[in-house]
Amino acid sequence: NRGNLDRLLLTELAHDDVTLAARLGLNEALYLTPEPPSHEPPRGLAVLLDSGIRMWGVPRALAVSAALAIAAREKHRDSVKVWRAARSEITATNLFKKEGLIEHLAVLETSAHVGFALPALERALAQDTFTQAVILTHPDSLRDEAFRKQLAASRLQGGLLGVVDAKGRFALHALPLANRTPICEAQLDVDALLKPPKNKPVIVPFANADRKSTRLNSSHLVISYAVF
């Protein structure tokens, strides 16, 4: 009972105008929706991260967190691939290693939205029809007419679109986009996440340590590392 008007069942058009309008308004009209065979569910997961100007700052870190959470939840997948949008291209990113995570967070793009990279993602998934695409971007992109046109023209229908902003609001939508509520929503407490820990000294001195001494032994370094 959800979909685009061009996917309406032909029997819905047999109703008169008033009845059809009421069925559409009450989400009672039926649509044709392509679904993968029940014995062939999506085996892979492909995540595309938006690194454009709208994602600078806190949204960038929260998008990475959302990508890691989605990947951790999909334990039945055979493979999880992550790409970063780089204008009209995509770059493979390894968020599951410290080096790859730091490298991703260090790269900033100036594109307005991730729509320019959608054709590159389609080419990367052309030979893998059983991989579900997940796009993570900013809520402002949903209000960008150019992005919505590129998204509607793509062949990524059946995937997911996640949006996250600087205030910690997250929502996950199903593709194709329609006038319906998100699949799931969450509100993160950004202030609590970014607040430094309280009452945790960086270095815990020994009781008999000389206060004038500036030398640190291995125990001090271990405690300092554990705190951070």
Side-chain angles (χ1 to χ4, degrees), residues 41-47 66-81 96 130-134 158-160 172 183-184:
R43 297 189 295 263
L45 187 69
V47 180
L68 293 174
I70 293 173
R73 185 178 183 276
E74 302 294 339
K75 297 180 180 179
H76 63 281
R77 306 281 186 174
D78 293 340
S79 64
V80 178
K81 300 178 181 178
F96 309 110
F130 293 102
T131 295
Q132 185 178 37
V134 180
L160 300 172
L172 190 64
I183 297 176
C184 65

PDB file of all heavy atoms in Angstrom, residues 41-47 66-81 96 130-134 158-160 172 183-184:
ATOM      1  N   PRO A  41      17.643 -13.495  -0.613  1.00  0.00           N
ATOM      2  CA  PRO A  41      17.698 -12.180   0.029  1.00  0.00           C
ATOM      3  C   PRO A  41      19.023 -11.495  -0.282  1.00  0.00           C
ATOM      4  O   PRO A  41      19.989 -12.161  -0.707  1.00  0.00           O
ATOM      5  CB  PRO A  41      17.589 -12.501   1.522  1.00  0.00           C
ATOM      6  CG  PRO A  41      18.174 -13.866   1.632  1.00  0.00           C
ATOM      7  CD  PRO A  41      17.800 -14.585   0.366  1.00  0.00           C
ATOM      8  N   PRO A  42      19.114 -10.175  -0.090  1.00  0.00           N
ATOM      9  CA  PRO A  42      20.395  -9.486  -0.324  1.00  0.00           C
ATOM     10  C   PRO A  42      21.499 -10.091   0.527  1.00  0.00           C
ATOM     11  O   PRO A  42      21.359 -10.243   1.736  1.00  0.00           O
ATOM     12  CB  PRO A  42      20.085  -8.043   0.092  1.00  0.00           C
ATOM     13  CG  PRO A  42      18.607  -7.907  -0.058  1.00  0.00           C
ATOM     14  CD  PRO A  42      18.044  -9.248   0.295  1.00  0.00           C
ATOM     15  N   ARG A  43      22.599 -10.464  -0.142  1.00  0.00           N
ATOM     16  CA  ARG A  43      23.698 -11.120   0.571  1.00  0.00           C
ATOM     17  C   ARG A  43      24.796 -10.148   0.961  1.00  0.00           C
ATOM     18  O   ARG A  43      25.616 -10.462   1.817  1.00  0.00           O
ATOM     19  CB  ARG A  43      24.281 -12.245  -0.297  1.00  0.00           C
ATOM     20  CG  ARG A  43      23.316 -13.366  -0.602  1.00  0.00           C
ATOM     21  CD  ARG A  43      24.044 -14.519  -1.259  1.00  0.00           C
ATOM     22  NE  ARG A  43      24.573 -14.147  -2.545  1.00  0.00           N
ATOM     23  CZ  ARG A  43      23.966 -14.399  -3.707  1.00  0.00           C
ATOM     24  NH1 ARG A  43      22.788 -15.011  -3.701  1.00  0.00           N
ATOM     25  NH2 ARG A  43      24.492 -14.035  -4.848  1.00  0.00           N
ATOM     26  N   GLY A  44      24.841  -8.991   0.312  1.00  0.00           N
ATOM     27  CA  GLY A  44      25.891  -8.020   0.598  1.00  0.00           C
ATOM     28  C   GLY A  44      25.322  -6.672   0.965  1.00  0.00           C
ATOM     29  O   GLY A  44      24.145  -6.379   0.735  1.00  0.00           O
ATOM     30  N   LEU A  45      26.169  -5.854   1.545  1.00  0.00           N
ATOM     31  CA  LEU A  45      25.778  -4.507   1.954  1.00  0.00           C
ATOM     32  C   LEU A  45      26.811  -3.525   1.431  1.00  0.00           C
ATOM     33  O   LEU A  45      28.014  -3.717   1.631  1.00  0.00           O
ATOM     34  CB  LEU A  45      25.677  -4.415   3.479  1.00  0.00           C
ATOM     35  CG  LEU A  45      25.112  -3.122   4.061  1.00  0.00           C
ATOM     36  CD1 LEU A  45      23.627  -2.993   3.738  1.00  0.00           C
ATOM     37  CD2 LEU A  45      25.317  -3.073   5.567  1.00  0.00           C
ATOM     38  N   ALA A  46      26.353  -2.478   0.757  1.00  0.00           N
ATOM     39  CA  ALA A  46      27.232  -1.449   0.212  1.00  0.00           C
ATOM     40  C   ALA A  46      26.825  -0.101   0.802  1.00  0.00           C
ATOM     41  O   ALA A  46      25.693   0.349   0.599  1.00  0.00           O
ATOM     42  CB  ALA A  46      27.149  -1.400  -1.310  1.00  0.00           C
ATOM     43  N   VAL A  47      27.727   0.533   1.527  1.00  0.00           N
ATOM     44  CA  VAL A  47      27.445   1.794   2.207  1.00  0.00           C
ATOM     45  C   VAL A  47      28.180   2.920   1.486  1.00  0.00           C
ATOM     46  O   VAL A  47      29.387   2.823   1.244  1.00  0.00           O
ATOM     47  CB  VAL A  47      27.876   1.741   3.679  1.00  0.00           C
ATOM     48  CG1 VAL A  47      27.559   3.067   4.369  1.00  0.00           C
ATOM     49  CG2 VAL A  47      27.186   0.589   4.404  1.00  0.00           C
ATOM     50  N   ALA A  66      26.806   5.716  12.371  1.00  0.00           N
ATOM     51  CA  ALA A  66      25.637   5.035  11.812  1.00  0.00           C
ATOM     52  C   ALA A  66      26.059   3.918  10.863  1.00  0.00           C
ATOM     53  O   ALA A  66      25.463   2.832  10.853  1.00  0.00           O
ATOM     54  CB  ALA A  66      24.750   6.042  11.086  1.00  0.00           C
ATOM     55  N   ALA A  67      27.093   4.172  10.042  1.00  0.00           N
ATOM     56  CA  ALA A  67      27.581   3.140   9.132  1.00  0.00           C
ATOM     57  C   ALA A  67      28.101   1.927   9.889  1.00  0.00           C
ATOM     58  O   ALA A  67      27.828   0.778   9.526  1.00  0.00           O
ATOM     59  CB  ALA A  67      28.675   3.725   8.231  1.00  0.00           C
ATOM     60  N   LEU A  68      28.852   2.156  10.962  1.00  0.00           N
ATOM     61  CA  LEU A  68      29.370   1.057  11.765  1.00  0.00           C
ATOM     62  C   LEU A  68      28.232   0.296  12.451  1.00  0.00           C
ATOM     63  O   LEU A  68      28.275  -0.935  12.560  1.00  0.00           O
ATOM     64  CB  LEU A  68      30.362   1.585  12.798  1.00  0.00           C
ATOM     65  CG  LEU A  68      31.673   2.158  12.238  1.00  0.00           C
ATOM     66  CD1 LEU A  68      32.499   2.772  13.356  1.00  0.00           C
ATOM     67  CD2 LEU A  68      32.472   1.067  11.533  1.00  0.00           C
ATOM     68  N   ALA A  69      27.218   1.019  12.917  1.00  0.00           N
ATOM     69  CA  ALA A  69      26.088   0.361  13.569  1.00  0.00           C
ATOM     70  C   ALA A  69      25.307  -0.504  12.584  1.00  0.00           C
ATOM     71  O   ALA A  69      24.904  -1.628  12.913  1.00  0.00           O
ATOM     72  CB  ALA A  69      25.175   1.415  14.194  1.00  0.00           C
ATOM     73  N   ILE A  70      25.102   0.001  11.370  1.00  0.00           N
ATOM     74  CA  ILE A  70      24.387  -0.769  10.354  1.00  0.00           C
ATOM     75  C   ILE A  70      25.185  -2.011   9.976  1.00  0.00           C
ATOM     76  O   ILE A  70      24.643  -3.113   9.846  1.00  0.00           O
ATOM     77  CB  ILE A  70      24.110   0.101   9.118  1.00  0.00           C
ATOM     78  CG1 ILE A  70      23.105   1.208   9.480  1.00  0.00           C
ATOM     79  CG2 ILE A  70      23.574  -0.739   7.977  1.00  0.00           C
ATOM     80  CD1 ILE A  70      22.891   2.220   8.372  1.00  0.00           C
ATOM     81  N   ALA A  71      26.492  -1.850   9.817  1.00  0.00           N
ATOM     82  CA  ALA A  71      27.334  -2.995   9.457  1.00  0.00           C
ATOM     83  C   ALA A  71      27.358  -4.035  10.573  1.00  0.00           C
ATOM     84  O   ALA A  71      27.348  -5.241  10.313  1.00  0.00           O
ATOM     85  CB  ALA A  71      28.751  -2.514   9.149  1.00  0.00           C
ATOM     86  N   ALA A  72      27.373  -3.579  11.836  1.00  0.00           N
ATOM     87  CA  ALA A  72      27.403  -4.526  12.964  1.00  0.00           C
ATOM     88  C   ALA A  72      26.086  -5.287  13.084  1.00  0.00           C
ATOM     89  O   ALA A  72      26.071  -6.447  13.500  1.00  0.00           O
ATOM     90  CB  ALA A  72      27.698  -3.775  14.258  1.00  0.00           C
ATOM     91  N   ARG A  73      25.000  -4.650  12.712  1.00  0.00           N
ATOM     92  CA  ARG A  73      23.690  -5.303  12.824  1.00  0.00           C
ATOM     93  C   ARG A  73      23.491  -6.354  11.744  1.00  0.00           C
ATOM     94  O   ARG A  73      22.802  -7.347  11.955  1.00  0.00           O
ATOM     95  CB  ARG A  73      22.593  -4.242  12.728  1.00  0.00           C
ATOM     96  CG  ARG A  73      21.193  -4.772  12.944  1.00  0.00           C
ATOM     97  CD  ARG A  73      20.166  -3.659  12.882  1.00  0.00           C
ATOM     98  NE  ARG A  73      18.821  -4.142  13.149  1.00  0.00           N
ATOM     99  CZ  ARG A  73      18.027  -4.688  12.228  1.00  0.00           C
ATOM    100  NH1 ARG A  73      18.444  -4.784  10.973  1.00  0.00           N
ATOM    101  NH2 ARG A  73      16.807  -5.103  12.552  1.00  0.00           N
ATOM    102  N   GLU A  74      24.095  -6.129  10.578  1.00  0.00           N
ATOM    103  CA  GLU A  74      23.895  -7.045   9.454  1.00  0.00           C
ATOM    104  C   GLU A  74      24.911  -8.180   9.502  1.00  0.00           C
ATOM    105  O   GLU A  74      25.788  -8.299   8.646  1.00  0.00           O
ATOM    106  CB  GLU A  74      23.996  -6.273   8.125  1.00  0.00           C
ATOM    107  CG  GLU A  74      23.016  -5.128   7.994  1.00  0.00           C
ATOM    108  CD  GLU A  74      21.575  -5.612   7.946  1.00  0.00           C
ATOM    109  OE1 GLU A  74      21.352  -6.795   7.627  1.00  0.00           O
ATOM    110  OE2 GLU A  74      20.677  -4.808   8.233  1.00  0.00           O
ATOM    111  N   LYS A  75      24.815  -9.027  10.506  1.00  0.00           N
ATOM    112  CA  LYS A  75      25.781 -10.113  10.661  1.00  0.00           C
ATOM    113  C   LYS A  75      25.565 -11.229   9.641  1.00  0.00           C
ATOM    114  O   LYS A  75      26.468 -12.045   9.417  1.00  0.00           O
ATOM    115  CB  LYS A  75      25.695 -10.672  12.082  1.00  0.00           C
ATOM    116  CG  LYS A  75      26.070  -9.661  13.160  1.00  0.00           C
ATOM    117  CD  LYS A  75      25.978 -10.270  14.546  1.00  0.00           C
ATOM    118  CE  LYS A  75      26.365  -9.246  15.608  1.00  0.00           C
ATOM    119  NZ  LYS A  75      26.265  -9.810  16.984  1.00  0.00           N
ATOM    120  N   HIS A  76      24.372 -11.301   9.040  1.00  0.00           N
ATOM    121  CA  HIS A  76      24.106 -12.379   8.093  1.00  0.00           C
ATOM    122  C   HIS A  76      24.626 -12.063   6.697  1.00  0.00           C
ATOM    123  O   HIS A  76      24.568 -12.915   5.817  1.00  0.00           O
ATOM    124  CB  HIS A  76      22.601 -12.638   8.025  1.00  0.00           C
ATOM    125  CG  HIS A  76      21.817 -11.469   7.502  1.00  0.00           C
ATOM    126  ND1 HIS A  76      21.496 -10.378   8.293  1.00  0.00           N
ATOM    127  CD2 HIS A  76      21.302 -11.204   6.270  1.00  0.00           C
ATOM    128  CE1 HIS A  76      20.798  -9.504   7.569  1.00  0.00           C
ATOM    129  NE2 HIS A  76      20.674  -9.977   6.345  1.00  0.00           N
ATOM    130  N   ARG A  77      25.127 -10.854   6.492  1.00  0.00           N
ATOM    131  CA  ARG A  77      25.637 -10.481   5.175  1.00  0.00           C
ATOM    132  C   ARG A  77      26.968 -11.176   4.896  1.00  0.00           C
ATOM    133  O   ARG A  77      27.793 -11.356   5.789  1.00  0.00           O
ATOM    134  CB  ARG A  77      25.846  -8.969   5.094  1.00  0.00           C
ATOM    135  CG  ARG A  77      24.625  -8.147   5.460  1.00  0.00           C
ATOM    136  CD  ARG A  77      23.625  -8.064   4.341  1.00  0.00           C
ATOM    137  NE  ARG A  77      22.544  -7.151   4.679  1.00  0.00           N
ATOM    138  CZ  ARG A  77      21.577  -6.784   3.841  1.00  0.00           C
ATOM    139  NH1 ARG A  77      21.550  -7.277   2.624  1.00  0.00           N
ATOM    140  NH2 ARG A  77      20.629  -5.953   4.224  1.00  0.00           N
ATOM    141  N   ASP A  78      27.170 -11.542   3.626  1.00  0.00           N
ATOM    142  CA  ASP A  78      28.437 -12.149   3.239  1.00  0.00           C
ATOM    143  C   ASP A  78      29.555 -11.125   3.184  1.00  0.00           C
ATOM    144  O   ASP A  78      30.713 -11.445   3.454  1.00  0.00           O
ATOM    145  CB  ASP A  78      28.295 -12.840   1.869  1.00  0.00           C
ATOM    146  CG  ASP A  78      27.362 -14.040   1.937  1.00  0.00           C
ATOM    147  OD1 ASP A  78      27.143 -14.544   3.056  1.00  0.00           O
ATOM    148  OD2 ASP A  78      26.847 -14.454   0.892  1.00  0.00           O
ATOM    149  N   SER A  79      29.228  -9.893   2.813  1.00  0.00           N
ATOM    150  CA  SER A  79      30.255  -8.864   2.690  1.00  0.00           C
ATOM    151  C   SER A  79      29.653  -7.500   2.963  1.00  0.00           C
ATOM    152  O   SER A  79      28.463  -7.264   2.709  1.00  0.00           O
ATOM    153  CB  SER A  79      30.875  -8.885   1.284  1.00  0.00           C
ATOM    154  OG  SER A  79      29.902  -8.562   0.300  1.00  0.00           O
ATOM    155  N   VAL A  80      30.474  -6.609   3.502  1.00  0.00           N
ATOM    156  CA  VAL A  80      30.085  -5.217   3.744  1.00  0.00           C
ATOM    157  C   VAL A  80      31.158  -4.335   3.130  1.00  0.00           C
ATOM    158  O   VAL A  80      32.318  -4.381   3.536  1.00  0.00           O
ATOM    159  CB  VAL A  80      29.942  -4.919   5.246  1.00  0.00           C
ATOM    160  CG1 VAL A  80      29.595  -3.447   5.455  1.00  0.00           C
ATOM    161  CG2 VAL A  80      28.875  -5.806   5.877  1.00  0.00           C
ATOM    162  N   LYS A  81      30.773  -3.530   2.139  1.00  0.00           N
ATOM    163  CA  LYS A  81      31.701  -2.627   1.466  1.00  0.00           C
ATOM    164  C   LYS A  81      31.299  -1.186   1.782  1.00  0.00           C
ATOM    165  O   LYS A  81      30.113  -0.864   1.833  1.00  0.00           O
ATOM    166  CB  LYS A  81      31.676  -2.853  -0.046  1.00  0.00           C
ATOM    167  CG  LYS A  81      32.073  -4.269  -0.467  1.00  0.00           C
ATOM    168  CD  LYS A  81      31.991  -4.436  -1.968  1.00  0.00           C
ATOM    169  CE  LYS A  81      32.369  -5.841  -2.385  1.00  0.00           C
ATOM    170  NZ  LYS A  81      32.242  -6.042  -3.861  1.00  0.00           N
ATOM    171  N   PHE A  96      36.682  -0.283   9.391  1.00  0.00           N
ATOM    172  CA  PHE A  96      36.856  -1.313  10.413  1.00  0.00           C
ATOM    173  C   PHE A  96      38.290  -1.392  10.924  1.00  0.00           C
ATOM    174  O   PHE A  96      38.614  -2.259  11.729  1.00  0.00           O
ATOM    175  CB  PHE A  96      36.419  -2.667   9.854  1.00  0.00           C
ATOM    176  CG  PHE A  96      35.050  -2.615   9.228  1.00  0.00           C
ATOM    177  CD1 PHE A  96      34.894  -2.728   7.857  1.00  0.00           C
ATOM    178  CD2 PHE A  96      33.924  -2.411  10.000  1.00  0.00           C
ATOM    179  CE1 PHE A  96      33.642  -2.678   7.275  1.00  0.00           C
ATOM    180  CE2 PHE A  96      32.666  -2.345   9.431  1.00  0.00           C
ATOM    181  CZ  PHE A  96      32.517  -2.478   8.063  1.00  0.00           C
ATOM    182  N   PHE A 130      22.741  -8.822  -5.791  1.00  0.00           N
ATOM    183  CA  PHE A 130      22.191  -9.186  -4.490  1.00  0.00           C
ATOM    184  C   PHE A 130      22.865  -8.413  -3.362  1.00  0.00           C
ATOM    185  O   PHE A 130      23.024  -8.911  -2.258  1.00  0.00           O
ATOM    186  CB  PHE A 130      22.324 -10.692  -4.250  1.00  0.00           C
ATOM    187  CG  PHE A 130      21.470 -11.511  -5.176  1.00  0.00           C
ATOM    188  CD1 PHE A 130      22.031 -12.140  -6.259  1.00  0.00           C
ATOM    189  CD2 PHE A 130      20.105 -11.612  -4.963  1.00  0.00           C
ATOM    190  CE1 PHE A 130      21.240 -12.885  -7.120  1.00  0.00           C
ATOM    191  CE2 PHE A 130      19.311 -12.357  -5.816  1.00  0.00           C
ATOM    192  CZ  PHE A 130      19.878 -12.997  -6.909  1.00  0.00           C
ATOM    193  N   THR A 131      23.297  -7.185  -3.660  1.00  0.00           N
ATOM    194  CA  THR A 131      23.861  -6.294  -2.651  1.00  0.00           C
ATOM    195  C   THR A 131      22.935  -5.109  -2.452  1.00  0.00           C
ATOM    196  O   THR A 131      22.521  -4.467  -3.413  1.00  0.00           O
ATOM    197  CB  THR A 131      25.258  -5.803  -3.072  1.00  0.00           C
ATOM    198  OG1 THR A 131      26.163  -6.911  -3.112  1.00  0.00           O
ATOM    199  CG2 THR A 131      25.793  -4.778  -2.083  1.00  0.00           C
ATOM    200  N   GLN A 132      22.602  -4.826  -1.213  1.00  0.00           N
ATOM    201  CA  GLN A 132      21.717  -3.714  -0.894  1.00  0.00           C
ATOM    202  C   GLN A 132      22.539  -2.466  -0.608  1.00  0.00           C
ATOM    203  O   GLN A 132      23.504  -2.513   0.151  1.00  0.00           O
ATOM    204  CB  GLN A 132      20.844  -4.049   0.316  1.00  0.00           C
ATOM    205  CG  GLN A 132      19.802  -2.993   0.637  1.00  0.00           C
ATOM    206  CD  GLN A 132      18.940  -3.385   1.810  1.00  0.00           C
ATOM    207  OE1 GLN A 132      19.412  -3.980   2.769  1.00  0.00           O
ATOM    208  NE2 GLN A 132      17.649  -3.068   1.742  1.00  0.00           N
ATOM    209  N   ALA A 133      22.172  -1.369  -1.239  1.00  0.00           N
ATOM    210  CA  ALA A 133      22.890  -0.106  -1.074  1.00  0.00           C
ATOM    211  C   ALA A 133      22.292   0.698   0.068  1.00  0.00           C
ATOM    212  O   ALA A 133      21.067   0.760   0.229  1.00  0.00           O
ATOM    213  CB  ALA A 133      22.851   0.700  -2.360  1.00  0.00           C
ATOM    214  N   VAL A 134      23.168   1.331   0.858  1.00  0.00           N
ATOM    215  CA  VAL A 134      22.756   2.225   1.934  1.00  0.00           C
ATOM    216  C   VAL A 134      23.509   3.542   1.751  1.00  0.00           C
ATOM    217  O   VAL A 134      24.745   3.553   1.734  1.00  0.00           O
ATOM    218  CB  VAL A 134      23.048   1.642   3.325  1.00  0.00           C
ATOM    219  CG1 VAL A 134      22.604   2.616   4.408  1.00  0.00           C
ATOM    220  CG2 VAL A 134      22.354   0.301   3.509  1.00  0.00           C
ATOM    221  N   GLY A 158      15.140  -0.071  -3.818  1.00  0.00           N
ATOM    222  CA  GLY A 158      15.226  -1.246  -2.968  1.00  0.00           C
ATOM    223  C   GLY A 158      16.286  -1.098  -1.895  1.00  0.00           C
ATOM    224  O   GLY A 158      16.404  -1.950  -1.014  1.00  0.00           O
ATOM    225  N   GLY A 159      17.042   0.011  -1.956  1.00  0.00           N
ATOM    226  CA  GLY A 159      18.068   0.267  -0.953  1.00  0.00           C
ATOM    227  C   GLY A 159      17.525   1.109   0.179  1.00  0.00           C
ATOM    228  O   GLY A 159      16.311   1.247   0.377  1.00  0.00           O
ATOM    229  N   LEU A 160      18.436   1.705   0.932  1.00  0.00           N
ATOM    230  CA  LEU A 160      18.070   2.517   2.089  1.00  0.00           C
ATOM    231  C   LEU A 160      18.788   3.859   2.028  1.00  0.00           C
ATOM    232  O   LEU A 160      19.886   3.951   1.461  1.00  0.00           O
ATOM    233  CB  LEU A 160      18.445   1.799   3.390  1.00  0.00           C
ATOM    234  CG  LEU A 160      17.788   0.434   3.637  1.00  0.00           C
ATOM    235  CD1 LEU A 160      18.411  -0.229   4.851  1.00  0.00           C
ATOM    236  CD2 LEU A 160      16.281   0.566   3.804  1.00  0.00           C
ATOM    237  N   LEU A 172      16.033   6.655   8.914  1.00  0.00           N
ATOM    238  CA  LEU A 172      16.355   5.711   7.845  1.00  0.00           C
ATOM    239  C   LEU A 172      15.129   5.547   6.965  1.00  0.00           C
ATOM    240  O   LEU A 172      14.045   5.180   7.448  1.00  0.00           O
ATOM    241  CB  LEU A 172      16.778   4.367   8.433  1.00  0.00           C
ATOM    242  CG  LEU A 172      17.370   3.349   7.460  1.00  0.00           C
ATOM    243  CD1 LEU A 172      18.692   3.878   6.884  1.00  0.00           C
ATOM    244  CD2 LEU A 172      17.600   2.010   8.165  1.00  0.00           C
ATOM    245  N   ILE A 183      11.639   4.304   8.201  1.00  0.00           N
ATOM    246  CA  ILE A 183      11.650   2.951   8.752  1.00  0.00           C
ATOM    247  C   ILE A 183      11.965   2.991  10.232  1.00  0.00           C
ATOM    248  O   ILE A 183      11.352   2.287  11.041  1.00  0.00           O
ATOM    249  CB  ILE A 183      12.673   2.081   7.994  1.00  0.00           C
ATOM    250  CG1 ILE A 183      12.269   1.938   6.528  1.00  0.00           C
ATOM    251  CG2 ILE A 183      12.803   0.710   8.642  1.00  0.00           C
ATOM    252  CD1 ILE A 183      13.279   1.178   5.704  1.00  0.00           C
ATOM    253  N   CYS A 184      12.933   3.802  10.605  1.00  0.00           N
ATOM    254  CA  CYS A 184      13.282   3.955  12.010  1.00  0.00           C
ATOM    255  C   CYS A 184      13.866   5.338  12.217  1.00  0.00           C
ATOM    256  O   CYS A 184      14.359   5.971  11.281  1.00  0.00           O
ATOM    257  CB  CYS A 184      14.274   2.873  12.465  1.00  0.00           C
ATOM    258  SG  CYS A 184      15.894   2.967  11.670  1.00  0.00           S
TER     259      CYS A 184
END
